[in-house]
């Protein structure tokens, strides 16, 4: 696995300072806990294939993972269904918002695992039998990706479950199509709790690095998912990870990534590194404003673009 020599010495605090001056965007207000997020929070972390973890200031500040959990739910669903999850869910970009009330025409399947319909379904496909069992399996799986025992913010989980009207609507829509096979409320409960898992930039970067390292956590050495699963997940992050901004993201940053309404972005560059940026103010597509700028700089400075050198 090749490694980026520059990533070992790259000044993450200088990058943080550079992006802190970006003052655009607005903090998500879908639940009170997200509305109260500190707009000045900004942290960046990188994890290399040899397990080196590098972080800026504030990389240990906790936040709820929100949609950055979706690649990992997809991974767990692929493992627990022996790949059959790929028959239950599409993998095409939607060009629509993350919570669009739309399923694949003809099949009634969710369009892809990176939008809410898809994540409601993948969360329902993990092992565990009932809601508690699936919650437990997801927390254990996410902890293995992060290389540490993660916890849930119970207030966020409750608020997501209670206030997620569009998620309830999506779950009922999938029930009506026969594509969701647990009750709509169970599906929302499990997905809401997965969104409420607390991480920090460092933990999320290790999670991204585990995908970038073919499913082996580079810090703990544990194989978390098979390499074929990591490949499938990173591929769908590349095409669908930034919602209807995915095309522009791939063209400019060129790195498989997943955004979230908490302002986190997780990046997975196969064989090179995993990274995470957190900063709550979001642009119109629900992507962290500073996270975008920081990812752009990382891509250029560390030459990460998948389809060609961004240097020279
Ligand atoms: N909890 C959010 C929802 O399902 C996650 C959305 C996101 O992070 O983009 O509405």
């Amino acid at each position: 696995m090749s490694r980026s020599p520059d990533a070992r010495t790259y000044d993450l605090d200088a990058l943080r300072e550079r992006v802190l001056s970006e003052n655009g965007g607005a903090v998500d207000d879908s639940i009170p806990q997200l509305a109260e997020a500190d707009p000045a929070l900004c942290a960046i972390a990188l994890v290399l294939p040899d397990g080196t973890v590098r972080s800026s200031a504030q990389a240990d500040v906790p936040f709820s993972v929100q949609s950055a959990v979706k690649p990992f739910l997809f991974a767990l669903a692929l493992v627990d269904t022996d790949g059959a999850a790929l028959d239950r869910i599409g993998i095409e970009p939607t060009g629509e918002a993350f919570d669009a009330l739309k399923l694949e025409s003809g099949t009634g399947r969710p369009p892809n695992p990176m939008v809410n319909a898809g994540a409601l379904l993948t969360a329902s496909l993990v092992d565990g039998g009932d809601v508690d069992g699936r919650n437990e399996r997801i927390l254990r799986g996410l902890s293995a990706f992060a290389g540490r025992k993660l916890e849930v913010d119970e207030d966020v989980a409750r608020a997501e479950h209670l206030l997620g009207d569009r998620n309830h609507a999506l779950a009922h829509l999938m029930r009506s199509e026969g594509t969701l096979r647990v009750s709509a409320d169970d599906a929302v409960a499990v997905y809401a709790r997965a969104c409420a898992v607390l991480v920090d930039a460092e933990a999320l970067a290790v999670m991204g690095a585990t995908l970038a390292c073919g499913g082996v956590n580079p810090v703990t050495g544990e194989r978390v998912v098979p390499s074929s699963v990591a490949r499938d997940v990173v591929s769908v992050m590349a095409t669908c990870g930034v919602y209807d901004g995915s095309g522009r993201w791939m063209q400019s940053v060129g790195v498989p990534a997943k955004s979230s309404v908490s302002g986190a972005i997780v990046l997975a560059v196969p064989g090179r590194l995993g990274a995470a940026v957190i900063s709550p103010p979001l642009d119109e597509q629900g992507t962290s404003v500073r996270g975008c700028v920081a990812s752009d700089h990382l891509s250029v400075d560390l030459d990460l673009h998948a389809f060609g050198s961004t240097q020279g």
Side-chain angles (χ1 to χ4, degrees):
M1 201 176 259
S2 74
R3 72 162 75 115
S4 161
D6 292 338
R8 315 190 140 268
T9 50
Y10 189 72
D11 190 340
L12 291 173
D13 280 312
L15 174 61
R16 178 174 177 275
E17 287 302 320
R18 232 152 118 195
V19 302
L20 264 176
S21 59
E22 300 285 335
N23 285 317
V27 170
D28 180 79
D29 61 359
S30 58
I31 58 169
Q33 291 81 0
L34 287 174
E36 284 159 14
D38 176 7
L41 169 62
C42 185
I44 307 154
L46 293 182
V47 177
L48 304 181
D50 67 359
T52 303
V53 179
R54 307 216 37 246
S55 345
S56 73
Q58 294 193 300
D60 58 353
V61 175
F63 55 89
S64 60
V65 64
Q66 298 295 335
S67 280
V69 79
K70 288 170 175 165
F72 307 98
L73 291 179
F74 182 37
L76 297 177
L78 284 170
V79 170
D80 290 356
T81 61
D82 239 340
L86 273 174
D87 301 326
R88 303 273 308 270
I89 189 161
I91 50 170
E92 301 302 334
T94 64
E96 301 204 40
F98 69 97
D99 56 356
L101 295 176
K102 207 162 162 202
L103 302 176
E104 212 175 58
S105 60
T107 67
R109 304 185 309 176
N112 70 62
M114 302 297 146
V115 293
N116 285 18
L120 284 158
L121 191 72
T122 53
S124 81
L125 291 178
V126 299
D127 280 344
D130 57 9
V131 168
D132 287 345
R134 285 199 296 279
N135 284 338
E136 212 262 314
R137 158 67 177 142
I138 289 170
L139 196 56
R140 215 168 3 96
L142 298 179
S143 298
F145 271 109
R148 71 166 97 140
K149 201 166 179 307
L150 300 176
E151 289 176 3
V152 173
D153 183 323
E154 299 294 343
D155 290 338
V156 170
R158 251 189 310 276
E160 293 278 350
H161 187 188
L162 268 176
L163 303 174
D165 291 327
R166 293 183 77 83
N167 290 332
H168 287 275
L170 278 166
H172 283 287
L173 203 57
M174 288 191 284
R175 287 284 304 171
S176 76
E177 294 284 350
T179 43
L180 179 68
R181 301 190 188 148
V182 302
S183 84
D185 194 61
D186 283 9
V188 178
V190 174
Y191 167 66
R193 202 172 160 84
C195 287
V197 169
L198 289 170
V199 290
D200 54 30
E202 224 172 81
L204 193 56
V206 178
M207 294 171 79
T210 301
L211 289 175
C213 293
V216 175
N217 183 317
V219 176
T220 63
E222 183 186 354
R223 171 160 294 285
V224 182
V225 293
S227 58
S228 57
V229 166
R231 185 205 60 189
D232 287 349
V233 171
V234 174
S235 305
V236 178
M237 288 167 78
T239 50
C240 308
V242 191
Y243 303 133
D244 49 336
S246 296
R248 164 75 51 188
W249 176 275
M250 222 32 216
Q251 177 268 328
S252 60
V253 182
V255 168
K258 181 72 203 82
S259 58
S260 87
V261 293
S262 49
I265 302 177
V266 57
L267 303 99
V269 190
R272 295 286 301 278
L273 53 82
V277 185
I278 169 75
S279 185
L282 308 176
D283 66 18
E284 273 160 21
Q285 278 147 342
T287 309
S288 167
V289 171
R290 292 191 191 108
C292 276
V293 179
S295 301
D296 247 329
H297 285 310
L298 279 175
S299 174
V300 173
D301 296 348
L302 299 179
D303 205 11
L304 300 177
H305 199 292
F307 302 117
S309 175
T310 49
Q311 290 173 345

